[in-house]
Amino acid sequence: PRRILVPHDFSAAGKPSLAAAREWAVAFQARARLQFVVEHSAGLYDYAANMEGSFKEYLERVRTQALERFRRLIREEWKGVEAEAAASTGDPTAEILREATDFGADLIVLGTHSRSTLERFFLGSVTQKTVERATCPVLTVRSDGAPLDVRSPIG
């Protein structure tokens, strides 16, 4: 891979996927883009709990904070890797796929949350939907750090 997209939600479960993505980027001297998506529905819930300013301002503040966290992470932990940060608002799966296309990603590295089958059925799974729809290989990393699956659209 020459360009690795690393969607991340800042959860503890996602930390192993960051480490795996960094290892791949170093090993292949690949460029990386760390991505955060502010999901509208989750954002609305958080906004209702805080009620500061308009909802649009709240989403922008969360997006800006995510970019700064990524930039700090890149400076402190991704030395030697050509990496950049991206953040957007919308449906996480759609935004990941859009970013993969815009960036020209030839690998997506995603963390998984160990949800039950029933939880995935009702809540959906961003990782599962991304694996199903991506046009490039997707490496999924379990929250315990073990690689779960590599799915390639080629076969």
Side-chain angles (χ1 to χ4, degrees), residues 50-82:
N50 296 314
M51 298 296 284
E52 295 179 24
S54 72
F55 182 56
K56 185 176 179 179
E57 290 169 339
Y58 176 77
L59 292 176
E60 181 58 26
R61 188 168 55 249
V62 171
R63 193 185 74 75
T64 302
Q65 289 170 350
L67 284 171
E68 184 49 42
R69 285 180 73 180
F70 276 148
R71 290 179 183 129
R72 188 172 42 252
L73 178 75
I74 290 166
R75 280 191 311 271
E76 295 172 3
E77 298 179 30
W78 284 61
K79 294 176 182 151
V81 176
E82 184 181 346

Side-chain angles (χ1 to χ4, degrees), residues 5 7-8 10 33-40 59-60 62-64 66-67 70 85-100 102:
L5 180 64
H8 184 59
F10 297 110
R33 181 175 290 174
L34 283 64
Q35 177 193 23
F36 179 78
V37 179
V38 182
E39 185 177 4
H40 281 113
L59 292 176
E60 181 58 26
V62 171
R63 193 185 74 75
T64 302
L67 284 171
F70 276 148
S88 58
T89 303
D91 172 70
T93 303
E95 288 299 307
I96 290 167
L97 297 174
R98 182 195 56 74
E99 194 70 43
D102 291 351

